[in-house]
Amino acid sequence: MSRLATLPLETFAATLASDAPAPGGGSAAAAGGAMAAGLLAMVVKLTLGKEKYKEAWEELTPLGDRLDDARVRLLELIDEDTKAFDGVLAARRLPKETDAEKAARRKALDEANLLATTVPMQTAFFAHEALKAAPAVLEKGNPNAASDAWAGALAAWAAVLAALANVRINLPSVADPELHRGFREDADAMEKAAGEALEKTRALAKSRGLLA
Amino acid sequence: MSRLATLPLETFAATLASDAPAPGGGSAAAAGGAMAAGLLAMVVKLTLGKEKYKEAWEELTPLGDRLDDARVRLLELIDEDTKAFDGVLAARRLPKETDAEKAARRKALDEANLLATTVPMQTAFFAHEALKAAPAVLEKGNPNAASDAWAGALAAWAAVLAALANVRINLPSVADPELHRGFREDADAMEKAAGEALEKTRALAKSRGLLA
């Protein structure tokens, strides 16, 4: 299969809308996160180019690099999420007649479920990387692009929460109790941090008249 | 220029990330809204196909049609937003030496600013159409796709708020006081309704274990 990130936008949206269960929310979260990182990176670039906003250059330059990296990684995760989902379906279809088959299927399922949890955790992580940059980008960046920074923060937050929902639905299938607990704690902490970053950006957006 | 919706996903994200001010938050909001409508439509289709969820068919069937329509319209709005933005820039560059030139420029600017406000208002409207379907889709739809419905609601809400931010930044340029007031009231009302629809969906998502 060709990479999902190479599909035309309208084809990707139509593929989501089809009755095939994948690509679904996990891949869409990665795609939304990539657009969010792109928007925030644009605001950084529209700031670095302008002498007028020179005071913000030092703080925003490393954020721009991080946002570009996050975008590239999130685009890869669009495919990784769909592949991980397909992996779970494939493992479920393995034969389970003999004891040896059952054991092999159990092992394949454990591995597939672990991957299907790890991948959205990474999507959440990189979308959160983008979201973390948003308050500084909106506060210090080119004010003419403030609505773009706010749009980026909104899409990044939505991507973090959608990815974490995918972590949570896969959690019951993660057999190892230590891993299970680690994922749950990480997901809880990231959900909280994402909410705080959105709130901070929302206050800045409100002060710029971008909200009621 | 070829339509933005025909660009590969990764190229669209890279185009957002470039130092060109358009496409920006308005087009990204339309793209995010189209993906949101796609996700929610998928959940409807994964429900209509299954005898097990027959009780939900009557309520979800018309929602599926509305979601497909919203997706198609939002994909068109990706381009319309960027064109409207370019139209404002073009009007600003018109000559303003003579009185006749000044009057013609004023008229062109008024028209361009009005379009640059109307287009994100439409993006907000169709993303809100998708969001309004989310509570029923999550509550009555195929429970195996609950995280997809929640991901759709999140992306739709982000798209509504990003589009409304674009309405608000253009509002000061809308000269007609009646139009100005109408847009502001519509934007305020839609922001409130979107918040309520997200909250309703969030409560359902929480009851399914998709949130901490």
Side-chain angles (χ1 to χ4, degrees), chain A residues 3 5 7 9-10 16-17 19 25 42 45 148 191 212, chain B residues 3 5 7 9-10 16-17 25 42 45-46 148 191 212:
Chain A
R3 289 172 52 237
L7 288 181
L9 209 50
E10 60 190 358
L16 288 175
D19 64 359
M42 173 184 84
K45 281 162 205 170
D148 302 299
E191 188 179 314
Chain B
R3 290 172 50 237
L7 287 181
L9 209 51
E10 61 189 357
L16 288 176
M42 173 184 83
K45 281 161 206 171
L46 289 170
D148 301 299
E191 188 178 315

mmCIF file with all atom_site columns, all heavy atoms in Angstrom, chain A residues 3 5 7 9-10 16-17 19 25 42 45 148 191 212, chain B residues 3 5 7 9-10 16-17 25 42 45-46 148 191 212:
data_model
loop_
_atom_site.group_PDB
_atom_site.id
_atom_site.type_symbol
_atom_site.label_atom_id
_atom_site.label_alt_id
_atom_site.label_comp_id
_atom_site.label_asym_id
_atom_site.label_entity_id
_atom_site.label_seq_id
_atom_site.pdbx_PDB_ins_code
_atom_site.Cartn_x
_atom_site.Cartn_y
_atom_site.Cartn_z
_atom_site.occupancy
_atom_site.B_iso_or_equiv
_atom_site.pdbx_formal_charge
_atom_site.auth_seq_id
_atom_site.auth_comp_id
_atom_site.auth_asym_id
_atom_site.auth_atom_id
_atom_site.pdbx_PDB_model_num
ATOM 1   N N   . ARG A 1 3   ? 1.905   5.076  0.916  1.00 0.00 ? 3   ARG A N   1
ATOM 2   C CA  . ARG A 1 3   ? 1.787   5.785  2.190  1.00 0.00 ? 3   ARG A CA  1
ATOM 3   C C   . ARG A 1 3   ? 0.549   6.679  2.206  1.00 0.00 ? 3   ARG A C   1
ATOM 4   O O   . ARG A 1 3   ? 0.255   7.366  1.235  1.00 0.00 ? 3   ARG A O   1
ATOM 5   C CB  . ARG A 1 3   ? 3.040   6.603  2.447  1.00 0.00 ? 3   ARG A CB  1
ATOM 6   C CG  . ARG A 1 3   ? 4.251   5.732  2.786  1.00 0.00 ? 3   ARG A CG  1
ATOM 7   C CD  . ARG A 1 3   ? 5.516   6.573  2.828  1.00 0.00 ? 3   ARG A CD  1
ATOM 8   N NE  . ARG A 1 3   ? 5.332   7.717  3.691  1.00 0.00 ? 3   ARG A NE  1
ATOM 9   C CZ  . ARG A 1 3   ? 5.499   8.993  3.304  1.00 0.00 ? 3   ARG A CZ  1
ATOM 10  N NH1 . ARG A 1 3   ? 5.876   9.262  2.074  1.00 0.00 ? 3   ARG A NH1 1
ATOM 11  N NH2 . ARG A 1 3   ? 5.303   9.963  4.154  1.00 0.00 ? 3   ARG A NH2 1
ATOM 12  N N   . ALA A 1 5   ? 0.115   9.398  3.796  1.00 0.00 ? 5   ALA A N   1
ATOM 13  C CA  . ALA A 1 5   ? 0.471   10.813 3.734  1.00 0.00 ? 5   ALA A CA  1
ATOM 14  C C   . ALA A 1 5   ? 0.663   11.307 2.297  1.00 0.00 ? 5   ALA A C   1
ATOM 15  O O   . ALA A 1 5   ? 0.711   12.506 2.054  1.00 0.00 ? 5   ALA A O   1
ATOM 16  C CB  . ALA A 1 5   ? 1.730   11.079 4.553  1.00 0.00 ? 5   ALA A CB  1
ATOM 17  N N   . LEU A 1 7   ? -1.537  10.463 -0.040 1.00 0.00 ? 7   LEU A N   1
ATOM 18  C CA  . LEU A 1 7   ? -2.888  10.585 -0.611 1.00 0.00 ? 7   LEU A CA  1
ATOM 19  C C   . LEU A 1 7   ? -3.294  12.059 -0.687 1.00 0.00 ? 7   LEU A C   1
ATOM 20  O O   . LEU A 1 7   ? -2.990  12.839 0.213  1.00 0.00 ? 7   LEU A O   1
ATOM 21  C CB  . LEU A 1 7   ? -3.918  9.868  0.274  1.00 0.00 ? 7   LEU A CB  1
ATOM 22  C CG  . LEU A 1 7   ? -3.939  8.351  0.295  1.00 0.00 ? 7   LEU A CG  1
ATOM 23  C CD1 . LEU A 1 7   ? -5.063  7.884  1.222  1.00 0.00 ? 7   LEU A CD1 1
ATOM 24  C CD2 . LEU A 1 7   ? -4.144  7.784  -1.099 1.00 0.00 ? 7   LEU A CD2 1
ATOM 25  N N   . LEU A 1 9   ? -5.480  15.155 -0.017 1.00 0.00 ? 9   LEU A N   1
ATOM 26  C CA  . LEU A 1 9   ? -6.307  15.500 1.138  1.00 0.00 ? 9   LEU A CA  1
ATOM 27  C C   . LEU A 1 9   ? -7.747  14.988 0.999  1.00 0.00 ? 9   LEU A C   1
ATOM 28  O O   . LEU A 1 9   ? -8.308  14.393 1.921  1.00 0.00 ? 9   LEU A O   1
ATOM 29  C CB  . LEU A 1 9   ? -6.318  17.027 1.211  1.00 0.00 ? 9   LEU A CB  1
ATOM 30  C CG  . LEU A 1 9   ? -6.470  17.727 2.532  1.00 0.00 ? 9   LEU A CG  1
ATOM 31  C CD1 . LEU A 1 9   ? -5.494  17.186 3.550  1.00 0.00 ? 9   LEU A CD1 1
ATOM 32  C CD2 . LEU A 1 9   ? -6.216  19.231 2.328  1.00 0.00 ? 9   LEU A CD2 1
ATOM 33  N N   . GLU A 1 10  ? -8.363  15.223 -0.162 1.00 0.00 ? 10  GLU A N   1
ATOM 34  C CA  . GLU A 1 10  ? -9.769  14.846 -0.342 1.00 0.00 ? 10  GLU A CA  1
ATOM 35  C C   . GLU A 1 10  ? -9.938  13.327 -0.370 1.00 0.00 ? 10  GLU A C   1
ATOM 36  O O   . GLU A 1 10  ? -10.954 12.806 0.084  1.00 0.00 ? 10  GLU A O   1
ATOM 37  C CB  . GLU A 1 10  ? -10.374 15.493 -1.589 1.00 0.00 ? 10  GLU A CB  1
ATOM 38  C CG  . GLU A 1 10  ? -9.694  15.135 -2.891 1.00 0.00 ? 10  GLU A CG  1
ATOM 39  C CD  . GLU A 1 10  ? -10.196 15.990 -4.055 1.00 0.00 ? 10  GLU A CD  1
ATOM 40  O OE1 . GLU A 1 10  ? -11.097 16.825 -3.864 1.00 0.00 ? 10  GLU A OE1 1
ATOM 41  O OE2 . GLU A 1 10  ? -9.672  15.816 -5.182 1.00 0.00 ? 10  GLU A OE2 1
ATOM 42  N N   . LEU A 1 16  ? -11.306 8.070  5.178  1.00 0.00 ? 16  LEU A N   1
ATOM 43  C CA  . LEU A 1 16  ? -11.804 8.066  6.556  1.00 0.00 ? 16  LEU A CA  1
ATOM 44  C C   . LEU A 1 16  ? -13.296 7.784  6.564  1.00 0.00 ? 16  LEU A C   1
ATOM 45  O O   . LEU A 1 16  ? -13.797 7.010  7.381  1.00 0.00 ? 16  LEU A O   1
ATOM 46  C CB  . LEU A 1 16  ? -11.558 9.422  7.231  1.00 0.00 ? 16  LEU A CB  1
ATOM 47  C CG  . LEU A 1 16  ? -10.118 9.799  7.606  1.00 0.00 ? 16  LEU A CG  1
ATOM 48  C CD1 . LEU A 1 16  ? -10.083 11.219 8.154  1.00 0.00 ? 16  LEU A CD1 1
ATOM 49  C CD2 . LEU A 1 16  ? -9.520  8.830  8.610  1.00 0.00 ? 16  LEU A CD2 1
ATOM 50  N N   . ALA A 1 17  ? -14.029 8.427  5.648  1.00 0.00 ? 17  ALA A N   1
ATOM 51  C CA  . ALA A 1 17  ? -15.494 8.358  5.625  1.00 0.00 ? 17  ALA A CA  1
ATOM 52  C C   . ALA A 1 17  ? -16.023 7.004  5.163  1.00 0.00 ? 17  ALA A C   1
ATOM 53  O O   . ALA A 1 17  ? -17.214 6.720  5.322  1.00 0.00 ? 17  ALA A O   1
ATOM 54  C CB  . ALA A 1 17  ? -16.054 9.467  4.730  1.00 0.00 ? 17  ALA A CB  1
ATOM 55  N N   . ASP A 1 19  ? -16.595 2.783  4.904  1.00 0.00 ? 19  ASP A N   1
ATOM 56  C CA  . ASP A 1 19  ? -16.980 1.848  5.963  1.00 0.00 ? 19  ASP A CA  1
ATOM 57  C C   . ASP A 1 19  ? -15.847 0.903  6.364  1.00 0.00 ? 19  ASP A C   1
ATOM 58  O O   . ASP A 1 19  ? -16.074 -0.053 7.101  1.00 0.00 ? 19  ASP A O   1
ATOM 59  C CB  . ASP A 1 19  ? -18.240 1.070  5.575  1.00 0.00 ? 19  ASP A CB  1
ATOM 60  C CG  . ASP A 1 19  ? -18.000 0.191  4.359  1.00 0.00 ? 19  ASP A CG  1
ATOM 61  O OD1 . ASP A 1 19  ? -16.867 0.215  3.825  1.00 0.00 ? 19  ASP A OD1 1
ATOM 62  O OD2 . ASP A 1 19  ? -18.932 -0.507 3.942  1.00 0.00 ? 19  ASP A OD2 1
ATOM 63  N N   . GLY A 1 25  ? -9.567  7.103  13.749 1.00 0.00 ? 25  GLY A N   1
ATOM 64  C CA  . GLY A 1 25  ? -9.247  8.236  14.611 1.00 0.00 ? 25  GLY A CA  1
ATOM 65  C C   . GLY A 1 25  ? -7.766  8.399  14.922 1.00 0.00 ? 25  GLY A C   1
ATOM 66  O O   . GLY A 1 25  ? -7.296  9.527  15.081 1.00 0.00 ? 25  GLY A O   1
ATOM 67  N N   . MET A 1 42  ? 4.653   27.827 10.612 1.00 0.00 ? 42  MET A N   1
ATOM 68  C CA  . MET A 1 42  ? 4.456   28.975 9.720  1.00 0.00 ? 42  MET A CA  1
ATOM 69  C C   . MET A 1 42  ? 4.537   30.280 10.511 1.00 0.00 ? 42  MET A C   1
ATOM 70  O O   . MET A 1 42  ? 5.194   31.230 10.087 1.00 0.00 ? 42  MET A O   1
ATOM 71  C CB  . MET A 1 42  ? 3.106   28.892 9.006  1.00 0.00 ? 42  MET A CB  1
ATOM 72  C CG  . MET A 1 42  ? 2.778   30.148 8.201  1.00 0.00 ? 42  MET A CG  1
ATOM 73  S SD  . MET A 1 42  ? 1.120   30.110 7.446  1.00 0.00 ? 42  MET A SD  1
ATOM 74  C CE  . MET A 1 42  ? 0.108   30.670 8.812  1.00 0.00 ? 42  MET A CE  1
ATOM 75  N N   . LYS A 1 45  ? 8.047   31.080 11.271 1.00 0.00 ? 45  LYS A N   1
ATOM 76  C CA  . LYS A 1 45  ? 8.775   31.579 10.089 1.00 0.00 ? 45  LYS A CA  1
ATOM 77  C C   . LYS A 1 45  ? 8.369   33.006 9.733  1.00 0.00 ? 45  LYS A C   1
ATOM 78  O O   . LYS A 1 45  ? 9.185   33.802 9.273  1.00 0.00 ? 45  LYS A O   1
ATOM 79  C CB  . LYS A 1 45  ? 8.574   30.622 8.916  1.00 0.00 ? 45  LYS A CB  1
ATOM 80  C CG  . LYS A 1 45  ? 9.483   29.400 9.062  1.00 0.00 ? 45  LYS A CG  1
ATOM 81  C CD  . LYS A 1 45  ? 9.051   28.227 8.208  1.00 0.00 ? 45  LYS A CD  1
ATOM 82  C CE  . LYS A 1 45  ? 9.586   26.945 8.850  1.00 0.00 ? 45  LYS A CE  1
ATOM 83  N NZ  . LYS A 1 45  ? 9.034   25.718 8.252  1.00 0.00 ? 45  LYS A NZ  1
ATOM 84  N N   . ASP A 1 148 ? -3.624  32.002 13.301 1.00 0.00 ? 148 ASP A N   1
ATOM 85  C CA  . ASP A 1 148 ? -3.017  30.751 12.822 1.00 0.00 ? 148 ASP A CA  1
ATOM 86  C C   . ASP A 1 148 ? -2.414  29.978 13.990 1.00 0.00 ? 148 ASP A C   1
ATOM 87  O O   . ASP A 1 148 ? -2.507  28.752 14.046 1.00 0.00 ? 148 ASP A O   1
ATOM 88  C CB  . ASP A 1 148 ? -1.936  31.056 11.776 1.00 0.00 ? 148 ASP A CB  1
ATOM 89  C CG  . ASP A 1 148 ? -2.498  31.826 10.594 1.00 0.00 ? 148 ASP A CG  1
ATOM 90  O OD1 . ASP A 1 148 ? -3.400  31.290 9.920  1.00 0.00 ? 148 ASP A OD1 1
ATOM 91  O OD2 . ASP A 1 148 ? -2.081  32.969 10.362 1.00 0.00 ? 148 ASP A OD2 1
ATOM 92  N N   . GLU A 1 191 ? -2.826  14.128 29.230 1.00 0.00 ? 191 GLU A N   1
ATOM 93  C CA  . GLU A 1 191 ? -4.147  14.753 29.071 1.00 0.00 ? 191 GLU A CA  1
ATOM 94  C C   . GLU A 1 191 ? -4.220  16.034 29.914 1.00 0.00 ? 191 GLU A C   1
ATOM 95  O O   . GLU A 1 191 ? -4.711  17.077 29.440 1.00 0.00 ? 191 GLU A O   1
ATOM 96  C CB  . GLU A 1 191 ? -5.236  13.771 29.503 1.00 0.00 ? 191 GLU A CB  1
ATOM 97  C CG  . GLU A 1 191 ? -6.647  14.244 29.199 1.00 0.00 ? 191 GLU A CG  1
ATOM 98  C CD  . GLU A 1 191 ? -7.691  13.206 29.626 1.00 0.00 ? 191 GLU A CD  1
ATOM 99  O OE1 . GLU A 1 191 ? -7.504  12.009 29.327 1.00 0.00 ? 191 GLU A OE1 1
ATOM 100 O OE2 . GLU A 1 191 ? -8.687  13.602 30.252 1.00 0.00 ? 191 GLU A OE2 1
ATOM 101 N N   . ALA A 1 212 ? -14.938 34.755 21.956 1.00 0.00 ? 212 ALA A N   1
ATOM 102 C CA  . ALA A 1 212 ? -15.982 35.613 22.542 1.00 0.00 ? 212 ALA A CA  1
ATOM 103 C C   . ALA A 1 212 ? -15.605 35.972 23.972 1.00 0.00 ? 212 ALA A C   1
ATOM 104 O O   . ALA A 1 212 ? -14.990 35.182 24.669 1.00 0.00 ? 212 ALA A O   1
ATOM 105 C CB  . ALA A 1 212 ? -17.317 34.895 22.513 1.00 0.00 ? 212 ALA A CB  1
ATOM 106 N N   . ARG B 1 3   ? -6.301  22.745 -7.106 1.00 0.00 ? 3   ARG B N   1
ATOM 107 C CA  . ARG B 1 3   ? -7.039  22.795 -5.843 1.00 0.00 ? 3   ARG B CA  1
ATOM 108 C C   . ARG B 1 3   ? -6.193  22.238 -4.695 1.00 0.00 ? 3   ARG B C   1
ATOM 109 O O   . ARG B 1 3   ? -5.526  21.221 -4.843 1.00 0.00 ? 3   ARG B O   1
ATOM 110 C CB  . ARG B 1 3   ? -8.345  22.009 -5.983 1.00 0.00 ? 3   ARG B CB  1
ATOM 111 C CG  . ARG B 1 3   ? -9.362  22.702 -6.889 1.00 0.00 ? 3   ARG B CG  1
ATOM 112 C CD  . ARG B 1 3   ? -10.543 21.787 -7.139 1.00 0.00 ? 3   ARG B CD  1
ATOM 113 N NE  . ARG B 1 3   ? -11.055 21.256 -5.891 1.00 0.00 ? 3   ARG B NE  1
ATOM 114 C CZ  . ARG B 1 3   ? -11.167 19.956 -5.601 1.00 0.00 ? 3   ARG B CZ  1
ATOM 115 N NH1 . ARG B 1 3   ? -10.829 19.050 -6.488 1.00 0.00 ? 3   ARG B NH1 1
ATOM 116 N NH2 . ARG B 1 3   ? -11.646 19.569 -4.446 1.00 0.00 ? 3   ARG B NH2 1
ATOM 117 N N   . ALA B 1 5   ? -7.185  20.769 -2.073 1.00 0.00 ? 5   ALA B N   1
ATOM 118 C CA  . ALA B 1 5   ? -7.676  19.472 -1.612 1.00 0.00 ? 5   ALA B CA  1
ATOM 119 C C   . ALA B 1 5   ? -7.100  18.319 -2.432 1.00 0.00 ? 5   ALA B C   1
ATOM 120 O O   . ALA B 1 5   ? -7.205  17.161 -2.032 1.00 0.00 ? 5   ALA B O   1
ATOM 121 C CB  . ALA B 1 5   ? -9.201  19.431 -1.646 1.00 0.00 ? 5   ALA B CB  1
ATOM 122 N N   . LEU B 1 7   ? -3.853  18.254 -3.151 1.00 0.00 ? 7   LEU B N   1
ATOM 123 C CA  . LEU B 1 7   ? -2.462  18.101 -2.699 1.00 0.00 ? 7   LEU B CA  1
ATOM 124 C C   . LEU B 1 7   ? -2.338  16.880 -1.793 1.00 0.00 ? 7   LEU B C   1
ATOM 125 O O   . LEU B 1 7   ? -3.224  16.617 -0.979 1.00 0.00 ? 7   LEU B O   1
ATOM 126 C CB  . LEU B 1 7   ? -2.010  19.317 -1.895 1.00 0.00 ? 7   LEU B CB  1
ATOM 127 C CG  . LEU B 1 7   ? -1.740  20.632 -2.609 1.00 0.00 ? 7   LEU B CG  1
ATOM 128 C CD1 . LEU B 1 7   ? -1.286  21.683 -1.592 1.00 0.00 ? 7   LEU B CD1 1
ATOM 129 C CD2 . LEU B 1 7   ? -0.688  20.463 -3.693 1.00 0.00 ? 7   LEU B CD2 1
ATOM 130 N N   . LEU B 1 9   ? -1.474  14.924 1.413  1.00 0.00 ? 9   LEU B N   1
ATOM 131 C CA  . LEU B 1 9   ? -1.523  15.338 2.816  1.00 0.00 ? 9   LEU B CA  1
ATOM 132 C C   . LEU B 1 9   ? -0.196  15.935 3.282  1.00 0.00 ? 9   LEU B C   1
ATOM 133 O O   . LEU B 1 9   ? -0.158  17.001 3.924  1.00 0.00 ? 9   LEU B O   1
ATOM 134 C CB  . LEU B 1 9   ? -1.815  14.066 3.624  1.00 0.00 ? 9   LEU B CB  1
ATOM 135 C CG  . LEU B 1 9   ? -2.543  14.139 4.925  1.00 0.00 ? 9   LEU B CG  1
ATOM 136 C CD1 . LEU B 1 9   ? -3.822  14.928 4.795  1.00 0.00 ? 9   LEU B CD1 1
ATOM 137 C CD2 . LEU B 1 9   ? -2.877  12.716 5.391  1.00 0.00 ? 9   LEU B CD2 1
ATOM 138 N N   . GLU B 1 10  ? 0.921   15.269 2.986  1.00 0.00 ? 10  GLU B N   1
ATOM 139 C CA  . GLU B 1 10  ? 2.227   15.736 3.474  1.00 0.00 ? 10  GLU B CA  1
ATOM 140 C C   . GLU B 1 10  ? 2.634   17.044 2.799  1.00 0.00 ? 10  GLU B C   1
ATOM 141 O O   . GLU B 1 10  ? 3.282   17.887 3.421  1.00 0.00 ? 10  GLU B O   1
ATOM 142 C CB  . GLU B 1 10  ? 3.306   14.661 3.309  1.00 0.00 ? 10  GLU B CB  1
ATOM 143 C CG  . GLU B 1 10  ? 3.551   14.231 1.889  1.00 0.00 ? 10  GLU B CG  1
ATOM 144 C CD  . GLU B 1 10  ? 4.488   13.007 1.813  1.00 0.00 ? 10  GLU B CD  1
ATOM 145 O OE1 . GLU B 1 10  ? 4.983   12.552 2.866  1.00 0.00 ? 10  GLU B OE1 1
ATOM 146 O OE2 . GLU B 1 10  ? 4.704   12.507 0.688  1.00 0.00 ? 10  GLU B OE2 1
ATOM 147 N N   . LEU B 1 16  ? 1.493   24.501 4.656  1.00 0.00 ? 16  LEU B N   1
ATOM 148 C CA  . LEU B 1 16  ? 1.112   25.264 5.856  1.00 0.00 ? 16  LEU B CA  1
ATOM 149 C C   . LEU B 1 16  ? 2.369   25.757 6.573  1.00 0.00 ? 16  LEU B C   1
ATOM 150 O O   . LEU B 1 16  ? 2.441   26.907 7.006  1.00 0.00 ? 16  LEU B O   1
ATOM 151 C CB  . LEU B 1 16  ? 0.310   24.398 6.832  1.00 0.00 ? 16  LEU B CB  1
ATOM 152 C CG  . LEU B 1 16  ? -1.121  24.020 6.453  1.00 0.00 ? 16  LEU B CG  1
ATOM 153 C CD1 . LEU B 1 16  ? -1.697  23.077 7.502  1.00 0.00 ? 16  LEU B CD1 1
ATOM 154 C CD2 . LEU B 1 16  ? -2.012  25.253 6.314  1.00 0.00 ? 16  LEU B CD2 1
ATOM 155 N N   . ALA B 1 17  ? 3.367   24.865 6.689  1.00 0.00 ? 17  ALA B N   1
ATOM 156 C CA  . ALA B 1 17  ? 4.578   25.167 7.465  1.00 0.00 ? 17  ALA B CA  1
ATOM 157 C C   . ALA B 1 17  ? 5.487   26.188 6.795  1.00 0.00 ? 17  ALA B C   1
ATOM 158 O O   . ALA B 1 17  ? 6.403   26.704 7.431  1.00 0.00 ? 17  ALA B O   1
ATOM 159 C CB  . ALA B 1 17  ? 5.356   23.877 7.732  1.00 0.00 ? 17  ALA B CB  1
ATOM 160 N N   . GLY B 1 25  ? -4.607  29.249 8.883  1.00 0.00 ? 25  GLY B N   1
ATOM 161 C CA  . GLY B 1 25  ? -5.536  28.652 9.834  1.00 0.00 ? 25  GLY B CA  1
ATOM 162 C C   . GLY B 1 25  ? -6.933  28.409 9.282  1.00 0.00 ? 25  GLY B C   1
ATOM 163 O O   . GLY B 1 25  ? -7.583  27.443 9.679  1.00 0.00 ? 25  GLY B O   1
ATOM 164 N N   . MET B 1 42  ? -17.780 7.621  8.979  1.00 0.00 ? 42  MET B N   1
ATOM 165 C CA  . MET B 1 42  ? -17.322 6.229  9.056  1.00 0.00 ? 42  MET B CA  1
ATOM 166 C C   . MET B 1 42  ? -18.042 5.483  10.175 1.00 0.00 ? 42  MET B C   1
ATOM 167 O O   . MET B 1 42  ? -18.504 4.350  9.982  1.00 0.00 ? 42  MET B O   1
ATOM 168 C CB  . MET B 1 42  ? -15.812 6.172  9.300  1.00 0.00 ? 42  MET B CB  1
ATOM 169 C CG  . MET B 1 42  ? -15.293 4.759  9.553  1.00 0.00 ? 42  MET B CG  1
ATOM 170 S SD  . MET B 1 42  ? -13.524 4.683  9.956  1.00 0.00 ? 42  MET B SD  1
ATOM 171 C CE  . MET B 1 42  ? -13.550 5.038  11.720 1.00 0.00 ? 42  MET B CE  1
ATOM 172 N N   . LYS B 1 45  ? -21.432 4.588  9.089  1.00 0.00 ? 45  LYS B N   1
ATOM 173 C CA  . LYS B 1 45  ? -21.442 3.468  8.145  1.00 0.00 ? 45  LYS B CA  1
ATOM 174 C C   . LYS B 1 45  ? -21.145 2.133  8.839  1.00 0.00 ? 45  LYS B C   1
ATOM 175 O O   . LYS B 1 45  ? -21.678 1.095  8.458  1.00 0.00 ? 45  LYS B O   1
ATOM 176 C CB  . LYS B 1 45  ? -20.460 3.735  7.010  1.00 0.00 ? 45  LYS B CB  1
ATOM 177 C CG  . LYS B 1 45  ? -21.070 4.692  5.983  1.00 0.00 ? 45  LYS B CG  1
ATOM 178 C CD  . LYS B 1 45  ? -20.043 5.358  5.085  1.00 0.00 ? 45  LYS B CD  1
ATOM 179 C CE  . LYS B 1 45  ? -20.614 6.680  4.588  1.00 0.00 ? 45  LYS B CE  1
ATOM 180 N NZ  . LYS B 1 45  ? -19.624 7.517  3.888  1.00 0.00 ? 45  LYS B NZ  1
ATOM 181 N N   . LEU B 1 46  ? -20.288 2.170  9.861  1.00 0.00 ? 46  LEU B N   1
ATOM 182 C CA  . LEU B 1 46  ? -19.979 0.941  10.606 1.00 0.00 ? 46  LEU B CA  1
ATOM 183 C C   . LEU B 1 46  ? -21.149 0.527  11.506 1.00 0.00 ? 46  LEU B C   1
ATOM 184 O O   . LEU B 1 46  ? -21.133 -0.541 12.117 1.00 0.00 ? 46  LEU B O   1
ATOM 185 C CB  . LEU B 1 46  ? -18.721 1.138  11.457 1.00 0.00 ? 46  LEU B CB  1
ATOM 186 C CG  . LEU B 1 46  ? -17.399 1.230  10.681 1.00 0.00 ? 46  LEU B CG  1
ATOM 187 C CD1 . LEU B 1 46  ? -16.261 1.657  11.595 1.00 0.00 ? 46  LEU B CD1 1
ATOM 188 C CD2 . LEU B 1 46  ? -17.076 -0.111 10.019 1.00 0.00 ? 46  LEU B CD2 1
ATOM 189 N N   . ASP B 1 148 ? -13.313 6.747  17.485 1.00 0.00 ? 148 ASP B N   1
ATOM 190 C CA  . ASP B 1 148 ? -13.323 7.481  16.212 1.00 0.00 ? 148 ASP B CA  1
ATOM 191 C C   . ASP B 1 148 ? -14.350 8.616  16.260 1.00 0.00 ? 148 ASP B C   1
ATOM 192 O O   . ASP B 1 148 ? -14.104 9.706  15.746 1.00 0.00 ? 148 ASP B O   1
ATOM 193 C CB  . ASP B 1 148 ? -13.655 6.532  15.055 1.00 0.00 ? 148 ASP B CB  1
ATOM 194 C CG  . ASP B 1 148 ? -12.652 5.389  14.961 1.00 0.00 ? 148 ASP B CG  1
ATOM 195 O OD1 . ASP B 1 148 ? -11.465 5.659  14.756 1.00 0.00 ? 148 ASP B OD1 1
ATOM 196 O OD2 . ASP B 1 148 ? -13.061 4.228  15.122 1.00 0.00 ? 148 ASP B OD2 1
ATOM 197 N N   . GLU B 1 191 ? -19.975 29.708 18.799 1.00 0.00 ? 191 GLU B N   1
ATOM 198 C CA  . GLU B 1 191 ? -18.923 29.316 19.745 1.00 0.00 ? 191 GLU B CA  1
ATOM 199 C C   . GLU B 1 191 ? -19.540 28.645 20.975 1.00 0.00 ? 191 GLU B C   1
ATOM 200 O O   . GLU B 1 191 ? -19.059 27.615 21.447 1.00 0.00 ? 191 GLU B O   1
ATOM 201 C CB  . GLU B 1 191 ? -18.117 30.553 20.156 1.00 0.00 ? 191 GLU B CB  1
ATOM 202 C CG  . GLU B 1 191 ? -16.891 30.231 20.982 1.00 0.00 ? 191 GLU B CG  1
ATOM 203 C CD  . GLU B 1 191 ? -16.102 31.492 21.335 1.00 0.00 ? 191 GLU B CD  1
ATOM 204 O OE1 . GLU B 1 191 ? -15.893 32.346 20.449 1.00 0.00 ? 191 GLU B OE1 1
ATOM 205 O OE2 . GLU B 1 191 ? -15.713 31.622 22.505 1.00 0.00 ? 191 GLU B OE2 1
ATOM 206 N N   . ALA B 1 212 ? -9.520  10.524 30.968 1.00 0.00 ? 212 ALA B N   1
ATOM 207 C CA  . ALA B 1 212 ? -9.154  10.257 32.371 1.00 0.00 ? 212 ALA B CA  1
ATOM 208 C C   . ALA B 1 212 ? -10.329 10.586 33.284 1.00 0.00 ? 212 ALA B C   1
ATOM 209 O O   . ALA B 1 212 ? -11.111 11.474 33.008 1.00 0.00 ? 212 ALA B O   1
ATOM 210 C CB  . ALA B 1 212 ? -7.948  11.086 32.754 1.00 0.00 ? 212 ALA B CB  1
#
